Amino acid sequence: MTVRMTAYWKKYILRHWQLYLIVAVPVAFLITFNYVPLVGIQLAFKEFNPIQGIWGSPWVGGKQFAMFFESPFFWPVIKNTLLLSVYSLLVGTPAAILLALALNEVKSQRFKKVVQMFTYAPYFISTVVLVGMLNIILSPTIGIYGQLTELLGIADPMDILGDPKAFSSLYVWSAVWQETGYGAIIYLAALSGVNPELYEAAKIDGASRVQKMVHIDLPTIRPTIIILLIMSIGGLLSVGFEKVFLLQNMLNLSTSEVISTYVYKIGLVHMNYSFAVAVGLFNSIIGFILIFSANLLARRFSESSLF
Amino acid sequence: MRSHTLIKESMGDRIMMAVIYTVLTVVLIAVAYPLIYIVSSSFSSSSAVMSGRVWLFPVEPTLYGYEAVFQYPQIWSGYLNSILYTGLGSVISVTLTVMMAYPISNTTFVGRRILVWALLFAMLFSGGLIPFYLVVRSLHMLDTIWAMVLPGALSVFSVIVAKTFFQTTIPGDLYEAAQLDGCSDGRFLVSVVVPLSKPVLAVLFLWSAVGQWNSYFNALIFLNGEEKYPLQLVLREILVLNSVSTASMSLSAEQLKQFEDMKNLLKYSVIVIASVPILMLYPFIQKYFVKGVMVGSIKA
């Protein structure tokens, strides 16, 4: 059996050598930029010395991890990361689902198109531009927020961009503004697959619109919701660096420092490679565990799972 | 009795519909208003913007903001760099994606399972920022165009989308017929698969181009020379770090004072100018992104 398998193997590879040549190029990329970096993980257990390099640097065991766990930044950074991602998950997912359900009810195709066109557009604005827009719109001196507070006679308007308490809401709700329209598309696509006979039957049985949504629409998009949820749970600890970093300032640092921005500062700004690798590895491992547990739970309690 | 309940329910339904239309209208305004406000401000006079007289439409319409942009050389070098990185980066990315996705879309391909698992693992687990940076550094790519177009070129998600597309639209019979006719695998890919896959290639190209155009992180960590900065990094300095440098501009004292006045106006105009290329792609994006998202949502 194995002999025959190997023979088949050889014959296949010889006959389709071109396919292997084609796939070799992207595989080389995958190895270089995804797998070679894994070699660098050993730095988490070493004390990096630039002269001796990755391989030559001395082993120090769990020292870097111990330093991270004991550091005064440990809890704030973990707490901020979790708060931001859980908050995003709890607000962002329902927002996209609700928008899709609402749009699905709209009969006027023109109104539906206009709403979709506008809600979809902010997705293509770059993070830098989004943060730039927040900076000028929410500035108490220039911009619409300043104008509004002046009109209302508020003498000392709150500095939304500099307030640590406002940071998480600023982060989450600006993402809702930017991404809900895009997020709704996938649910709308799933809803378009509902068998119209189900709606007819529900109508005859006297179901209300709300009942129809709860008993037909939601079950239809449940697999999609679950798969997207699993994927976001995996990313729970890797809150997007890009936006947090741009929204960060000296004033809101106490709530805006997350794992990814912390790794960037420790590693690339202060060149403390080993410590930064350890923090990053901690992040990757927790993320990996989370996505597997979420997948396992989804497989056990529903018929859909990611893998 | 029956008709009575029907009327009552349709009453509830009508209220529900009114609620839905109201909510959607509010959502529409909330999303559109900031966009309109930025565009209107960019066409207003500097004094109208500064004194907070712009609410919805341009006040004292001028093009001064855009003139300020034209006088600011960093924006133009950033623009050219972004076009270069976006064009080259997308071509490389789409080519690699197809080269990876096509072989693994063939169920008889020996080694398919290993490659699919290698891709999934790469998607779920990474060495993190520092090891990634060290690899790019040891390849001597720092401060070169290659650091902008190569490291992120292979996206696992795109590969899965392309693979699903090939599997569902390229008939297996076609491949077998071509094989019988003595068509080689490479030739089949170039002259049959690629022409039949234009929709998915368009999706991949747009995804990659939008991503490249909007990204700043790779530039932030890999580039030192300001002359290589893409537009987003120049924008970051103007919009987020609030630093507009007039050093590289040859201006008279009077012009300099004028420019200082326009600094705030410049921010609005620069936002509009930076978003124009994406807006020009918008009709295509809308058509193809929806398709792409749907293809991508099919379980891998």
Side-chain angles (χ1 to χ4, degrees):
Chain A
M1 181 68 189
T2 44
V3 178
R4 250 171 58 204
M5 281 289 280
T6 350
Y8 169 77
W9 243 79
K10 274 187 187 150
K11 218 175 121 196
Y12 184 90
I13 293 175
L14 282 176
R15 232 181 97 191
H16 296 277
W17 62 271
Q18 285 190 345
L19 281 182
Y20 291 90
L21 200 68
I22 291 167
V23 89
V25 181
V27 165
F29 263 76
L30 190 67
I31 291 171
T32 312
F33 295 111
N34 293 87
Y35 284 90
V36 175
L38 298 182
V39 174
I41 286 179
Q42 58 179 297
L43 280 181
F45 306 96
K46 286 185 165 178
E47 186 78 67
F48 183 68
N49 181 326
I51 298 156
Q52 289 161 311
I54 295 180
W55 292 100
S57 297
W59 292 97
V60 292
K63 184 186 147 200
Q64 310 288 357
F65 291 94
M67 254 168 69
F68 178 47
F69 298 146
E70 283 158 18
S71 122
F73 290 103
F74 179 70
W75 276 116
V77 167
I78 301 279
K79 206 180 79 193
N80 292 342
T81 310
L82 280 175
L83 180 77
L84 277 192
S85 42
V86 172
Y87 190 176
S88 310
L89 210 66
L90 290 182
V91 173
T93 312
I97 294 170
L98 286 176
L99 180 64
L101 288 178
L103 281 172
N104 196 43
E105 294 297 315
V106 169
K107 291 216 182 59
S108 155
Q109 285 303 310
R110 238 172 89 200
F111 182 69
K112 192 174 165 181
K113 266 223 166 92
V114 170
V115 174
Q116 269 197 284
M117 206 180 82
F118 270 99
T119 52
Y120 189 39
Y123 182 78
F124 299 101
I125 291 174
S126 77
T127 319
V128 177
V129 165
L130 174 77
V131 174
M133 281 175 68
L134 288 172
N135 276 345
I136 50 184
I137 286 176
L138 296 179
S139 150
T141 49
I142 53 164
I144 198 80
Y145 174 67
Q147 283 164 236
L148 208 68
T149 49
E150 202 184 292
L151 200 75
L152 296 174
I154 298 166
D156 190 21
M158 177 185 152
D159 178 14
I160 299 176
L161 295 157
D163 189 345
K165 284 201 288 293
F167 181 79
S168 55
S169 294
L170 181 68
Y171 176 88
V172 169
W173 289 97
S174 59
V176 167
W177 179 81
Q178 192 177 20
E179 289 162 17
T180 303
Y182 184 79
I185 285 178
I186 196 164
Y187 298 114
L188 268 175
L191 282 173
S192 69
V194 175
N195 185 349
E197 279 173 26
L198 281 177
Y199 288 140
E200 300 280 323
K203 217 175 183 177
I204 289 165
D205 287 344
S208 72
R209 264 179 206 285
V210 180
Q211 282 172 323
K212 215 183 74 204
M213 283 186 195
V214 173
H215 297 292
I216 301 176
D217 292 349
L218 273 181
T220 306
I221 57 175
R222 200 174 63 184
T224 316
I225 297 176
I226 290 173
I227 285 178
L228 292 183
L229 269 180
I230 297 171
M231 284 172 42
S232 2
I233 287 169
L236 219 54
L237 282 186
S238 38
V239 169
F241 172 92
E242 298 218 333
K243 206 167 116 197
V244 177
F245 182 69
L246 291 171
L247 277 172
Q248 231 171 35
N249 52 47
M250 290 316 287
L251 298 170
N252 63 24
L253 207 58
S254 60
T255 54
S256 67
E257 191 80 296
V258 295
I259 298 179
S260 55
T261 54
Y262 185 61
V263 169
Y264 169 76
K265 278 173 205 162
I266 295 285
L268 293 183
V269 180
H270 300 295
M271 308 285 256
N272 194 347
Y273 288 160
S274 289
F275 188 65
V277 174
V279 178
L281 180 61
F282 174 78
N283 193 19
S284 293
I285 291 173
I286 304 278
F288 202 63
I289 293 173
L290 280 175
I291 199 165
F292 265 94
S293 337
N295 196 59
L296 210 69
L297 284 176
R299 208 155 46 183
R300 176 154 300 176
F301 294 109
S302 73
E303 63 283 15
S304 35
S305 65
L306 187 58
F307 42 82
Chain B
M1 198 50 201
R2 173 108 195 151
S3 68
H4 176 72
T5 52
L6 257 178
I7 290 163
K8 209 173 141 196
E9 273 158 9
S10 76
M11 184 63 182
D13 279 1
R14 257 186 286 168
I15 295 172
M16 188 64 197
M17 275 319 275
V19 170
I20 286 175
Y21 273 92
T22 315
V23 169
L24 284 179
T25 308
V26 171
V27 167
L28 181 64
I29 294 169
V31 175
Y33 182 66
L35 300 171
I36 296 169
Y37 174 76
I38 296 279
V39 174
S40 292
S41 296
S42 78
F43 285 107
S44 298
S45 77
S46 177
S47 64
V49 171
M50 285 308 287
S51 56
R53 280 181 286 139
V54 180
W55 287 99
L56 184 62
F57 294 113
V59 176
E60 298 165 13
T62 65
L63 289 172
Y64 281 141
Y66 292 92
E67 275 177 35
V69 174
F70 276 97
Q71 286 170 10
Y72 201 63
Q74 279 92 331
I75 290 173
W76 294 112
S77 74
Y79 229 91
L80 288 178
N81 287 333
S82 277
I83 291 172
L84 178 66
Y85 301 154
T86 302
L88 188 63
S90 311
V91 170
I92 293 176
S93 173
V94 174
T95 311
L96 283 175
T97 304
V98 170
M99 289 170 91
M100 183 89 218
Y102 174 67
I104 62 171
S105 73
N106 189 336
T107 41
T108 58
F109 182 67
V110 173
R112 177 176 183 261
R113 284 179 67 89
I114 300 172
L115 289 179
V116 171
W117 277 109
L119 281 168
L120 282 178
F121 181 77
M123 185 166 76
L124 295 176
F125 193 80
S126 77
L129 174 66
I130 306 299
F132 181 63
Y133 173 82
L134 290 176
V135 166
V136 174
R137 195 179 71 172
S138 65
L139 291 169
H140 302 288
M141 284 183 183
L142 286 194
D143 221 16
T144 69
I145 180 175
W146 306 115
M148 301 308 299
V149 295
L150 293 182
L154 190 70
S155 140
V156 177
F157 185 73
S158 295
V159 170
I160 292 172
V161 169
K163 175 188 149 238
T164 313
F165 184 88
F166 293 149
Q167 274 171 346
T168 48
T169 57
I170 311 287
D173 295 347
L174 206 59
Y175 179 68
E176 272 159 37
Q179 290 263 299
L180 284 178
D181 287 345
C183 176
S184 72
D185 288 314
R187 178 113 187 264
F188 185 73
L189 174 60
V190 174
S191 24
V192 179
V193 178
V194 169
L196 283 177
S197 308
K198 277 183 196 139
V200 80
L201 296 183
V203 173
L204 296 177
F205 190 83
L206 284 173
W207 268 341
S208 169
V210 172
Q212 276 276 352
W213 184 268
N214 285 343
S215 80
Y216 77 93
F217 182 60
N218 280 5
L220 177 75
I221 61 174
F222 294 137
L223 297 183
N224 300 316
E226 216 164 278
E227 73 287 349
K228 294 198 191 71
Y229 278 5
L231 183 62
Q232 300 300 332
L233 220 51
V234 178
L235 289 179
R236 172 174 172 254
E237 300 201 329
I238 299 173
L239 294 173
V240 182
L241 304 181
N242 214 354
S243 81
V244 176
S245 109
T246 44
S248 61
M249 301 163 66
S250 47
L251 298 174
S252 67
E254 194 193 340
Q255 282 173 314
L256 204 66
K257 198 196 155 288
Q258 228 176 16
F259 192 82
E260 288 298 308
D261 287 342
M262 288 192 294
K263 248 163 80 170
N264 276 308
L265 196 54
L266 173 79
K267 291 183 182 173
Y268 295 93
S269 319
V270 104
I271 286 178
V272 176
I273 288 209
S275 310
V276 161
I278 300 287
L279 285 178
M280 290 194 315
L281 286 177
Y282 197 67
F284 304 97
I285 287 177
Q286 227 187 354
K287 194 166 125 205
Y288 287 119
F289 262 56
V290 177
K291 247 189 228 163
V293 170
M294 281 193 274
V295 175
S297 67
I298 297 165
K299 206 176 139 187

